Amino acid sequence: MLVDSHCHLDFPELAGRIDELLAAMAEHDVGHALCVCVALPEFEQVLALAQRDERLSASVGVHPDYPDTVEPDVDTLVRLAAHPKVVAIGETGLEYYSTPGGADWQRERFRVHIRAARRAGKPLIVHTRAAAADTLQLLRDEGAEAVGGVMHCFTEDWETARAALDLGFHVSFSGIVTFRNAAALREVAAKVPDDRLLIETDAPYLAPVPNRGKTNEPAFVRFVAACLAELRGQAPEQIAKLTTDNFFRLFNP
Ligand code: NI
């Protein structure tokens, strides 16, 4: 069995196709998918998805790429995270690619999420892009090690992965690892320890080869798993087992 540790089934590209997506998951032995929240106004829809099928769970959080949305506070996040279907806080983090140098509101929002995760006792889903040093610094400052979590859709270097692993975090790879120009990322993926490795789609985006350019969906996580099996020299069944075990141990859905 495989698990998609990060997808956005509430996004318009996918929201009208849930039965079809669940059927494709069943067909390809994808037994669970974590529906990740990116803004509070969308949380209800994400939670409703998770409540609709036992193979789905939810997170609560506000993505750093959403400047003009309802700003979360610790109490609100902790209250929403109390629902048994909510297994994580996020996605949160820092996005300096679309916001060069970042912004104070991004850093403050990230701190709020880490504090909420610690109070709720639930792991963090961290997005970091072009912001590795600040991301690691804030995780350390706020004691994120107490709850751990995942560096999702990882695209940074080994030094960053190593620092995240040292904080007790997991590292999750998306379809990007299958892209032709991702040789450096594949070297990082080969080195992540078995007990910290996760896989995801980040659907509807980033469909893996051979479906690159199409709308992504949880069943496509099998192509990420196959790529990791090959580059790590492990059997596909072994990648499936360890990434699934890691997911259930971390998120306990
Ligand atoms: Ni995402």
Side-chain angles (χ1 to χ4, degrees), residues 81-96:
H83 193 286
K85 271 285 187 179
V86 177
V87 299
I89 303 289
E91 62 182 283
T92 180
L94 300 174
E95 167 59 67
Y96 291 2

Side-chain angles (χ1 to χ4, degrees), residues 14-148:
L14 298 173
R17 298 173 49 206
I18 301 302
D19 289 334
E20 176 199 335
L21 302 178
L22 288 167
M25 284 170 61
E27 186 182 338
H28 296 287
D29 199 26
V30 178
H32 201 91
L34 174 45
C35 302
V36 174
C37 179
V38 296
L40 291 184
E42 284 153 43
F43 173 70
E44 243 178 82
Q45 208 190 334
V46 175
L47 181 60
L49 272 172
Q51 286 177 296
R52 154 185 188 150
D53 196 287
E54 63 181 7
R55 290 168 287 174
L56 302 177
S57 49
S59 73
V60 62
V62 184
H63 195 289
D65 230 356
Y66 288 66
D68 303 313
T69 188
V70 182
E71 198 58 41
D73 57 54
V74 174
D75 288 342
T76 302
L77 290 171
V78 170
R79 178 171 55 78
L80 297 175
H83 193 286
K85 271 285 187 179
V86 177
V87 299
I89 303 289
E91 62 182 283
T92 180
L94 300 174
E95 167 59 67
Y96 291 2
Y97 182 78
S98 58
T99 312
D104 286 338
W105 64 261
Q106 273 190 355
R107 291 180 279 269
E108 181 54 29
R109 186 185 285 176
F110 187 25
R111 288 183 187 276
V112 163
H113 281 80
I114 301 169
R115 289 168 195 163
R118 292 190 58 175
R119 260 188 41 200
K122 296 197 175 175
L124 286 155
I125 299 168
V126 177
H127 169 108
T128 183
R129 197 166 174 214
D134 281 8
T135 300
L136 291 165
Q137 187 61 49
L138 290 190
L139 287 172
R140 288 192 197 101
D141 281 0
E142 296 289 340
E145 207 171 346
V147 287

Side-chain angles (χ1 to χ4, degrees), residues 6 8 91 152 202:
H6 189 118
H8 302 283
E91 62 182 283
H152 110 88
D202 209 7

Side-chain angles (χ1 to χ4, degrees), residues 180-237:
R180 236 165 76 91
N181 59 0
L185 185 62
R186 279 189 285 276
E187 279 180 37
V188 174
K191 289 198 268 190
V192 171
D194 282 355
D195 63 349
R196 302 294 188 82
L197 187 69
L198 291 173
I199 51 176
E200 66 175 84
T201 59
D202 209 7
Y205 310 125
L206 301 170
V209 172
N211 293 337
R212 190 170 182 183
K214 294 188 186 159
T215 300
N216 204 357
E217 60 175 83
F220 293 175
V221 80
R222 67 188 187 276
F223 299 115
V224 179
C227 175
L228 288 180
E230 193 179 327
L231 71 89
R232 291 167 65 89
Q234 291 171 305
E237 300 75 28

